[in-house]
Amino acid sequence: MKKNYCLLLLCFTAAFNVLATQNTPTELALCKEQVNNAIIKFENTKKERWSYKISRYENEEGDISSSIEHHLPLAGEPWLLSQINGQLPTKKQIKKFTKNKQAQSKTKNKGGNTQLPLRQLINQESLSLVSNDEHHIVMAFNVHIKKLGKDAIGKLQGKLVYQKDKQFIEKITIWNNADFSPMFTANITDLALTFTFLHIDGAILAKENEMKMKGSFAYFTDINETSIDSFSDYLYQGKPIQ
């Protein structure tokens, strides 16, 4: 009798757990909601109100270059080139830099965007849960970057790390799972993109963007590129953040 009672109790408990699971949002749905809220938080950050420094590094087939520039939103000219390849920039280099920044600003004002928005980068419908612990949520997703061409469709995948304490996306990693051709005669064998972010007083700001790419162009020219943009010295300018 006691044995039958325990069996009945186990069955009742299992049935109750099933009902409880069916009447509460799934773990995946909750994680997707948190990621979407994090994307909204990133979108609501007014990056143009912050001053900051960008240290850029590029290595194209062994040809190394670097520069340091500053964003100064309250200055007459919001962008300043302070160093190029370890030296003070020439007047010609400053003029070219300023012209490029002005062109980028015009593109943005016309509705264009020089950076890929997170909402386009992260395919939220394809999000799947990799892990979920006390501090972080890790999710995988499919990637489609139009600039890389139609041949890249289905050959890129991504992973994001969500930080629970500050409720923001801390890191995004994208890589290819097969060779693809972004344009005629170009073939990419290895692509790795890494984006990391900072949480400062409620704002979500870039920390570092890194790209590594290998392949070939016109069948005979090797592609071996690395670029790293590091952001630092953030200081909010203007009215207090609400």
Side-chain angles (χ1 to χ4, degrees):
M1 180 71 180
K2 186 176 181 181
K3 191 174 181 180
N4 291 335
Y5 174 79
C6 291
L7 181 62
L8 182 63
L9 183 61
L10 285 172
C11 291
F12 176 80
T13 302
F16 177 82
N17 287 337
V18 169
L19 288 173
T21 302
Q22 290 176 343
N23 286 282
T24 59
T26 65
E27 184 181 16
L28 176 60
L30 283 172
C31 291
K32 282 187 173 184
E33 182 179 1
Q34 287 172 298
V35 168
N36 184 59
N37 289 337
I39 292 174
I40 293 173
K41 186 181 290 188
F42 178 79
E43 292 172 338
N44 289 340
T45 295
K46 304 297 183 182
K47 190 177 179 181
E48 66 275 7
R49 295 183 182 178
W50 291 80
S51 63
Y52 52 91
K53 180 175 77 174
I54 309 178
S55 299
R56 301 189 189 275
Y57 167 88
E58 289 189 13
N59 184 341
E60 296 185 14
E61 293 76 48
D63 183 11
I64 298 174
S65 62
S66 64
S67 65
I68 296 177
E69 57 190 68
H70 300 264
H71 181 248
L72 307 167
L74 299 183
E77 177 54 58
W79 288 99
L80 170 68
L81 179 65
S82 62
Q83 191 180 110
I84 186 164
N85 296 328
Q87 299 180 343
L88 291 174
T90 64
K91 290 183 179 180
K92 184 177 180 180
Q93 289 170 331
I94 292 174
K95 185 177 181 180
K96 181 180 179 182
F97 171 82
T98 303
K99 186 177 180 180
N100 288 338
K101 289 298 183 182
Q102 289 174 345
Q104 290 175 9
S105 179
K106 288 180 180 179
T107 300
K108 185 177 180 180
N109 292 335
K110 289 180 180 179
N113 202 323
T114 56
Q115 296 182 337
L116 191 65
L118 289 192
R119 194 168 294 279
Q120 292 183 27
L121 192 65
I122 300 171
N123 184 333
Q124 293 186 69
E125 292 184 0
S126 69
L127 281 168
S128 61
L129 188 61
V130 176
S131 64
N132 186 5
D133 60 29
E134 184 180 355
H135 302 290
H136 295 94
I137 296 171
V138 180
M139 303 193 79
F141 57 93
N142 297 329
V143 180
H144 177 211
I145 301 175
K146 290 184 178 180
K147 290 183 179 180
L148 294 180
K150 292 183 179 180
D151 190 50
I153 297 176
K155 298 178 181 178
L156 300 175
Q157 57 191 96
K159 183 174 70 175
L160 66 84
V161 179
Y162 173 89
Q163 208 254 47
K164 290 185 175 181
D165 182 34
K166 299 296 184 179
Q167 301 178 352
F168 77 106
I169 296 171
E170 192 173 57
K171 184 177 181 180
I172 297 173
T173 308
I174 292 171
W175 65 96
N176 66 311
N177 52 36
D179 295 4
F180 66 94
S181 177
M183 62 181 69
F184 182 64
T185 75
N187 183 61
I188 303 302
T189 57
D190 299 277
L191 177 68
L193 304 172
T194 304
F195 307 95
T196 54
F197 302 90
L198 294 167
H199 181 284
I200 303 177
D201 297 333
I204 311 304
L205 300 158
K207 180 180 180 181
E208 187 172 274
N209 300 338
E210 180 178 359
M211 183 206 66
K212 294 183 178 180
M213 182 170 61
K214 292 183 179 181
S216 61
F217 182 73
Y219 307 109
F220 302 108
T221 304
D222 290 335
I223 298 173
N224 189 355
E225 298 182 15
T226 298
S227 68
I228 303 173
D229 294 342
S230 300
F231 302 77
S232 63
D233 300 352
Y234 279 105
L235 184 63
Y236 186 75
Q237 306 288 329
K239 297 179 181 179
I241 302 173
Q242 299 298 321

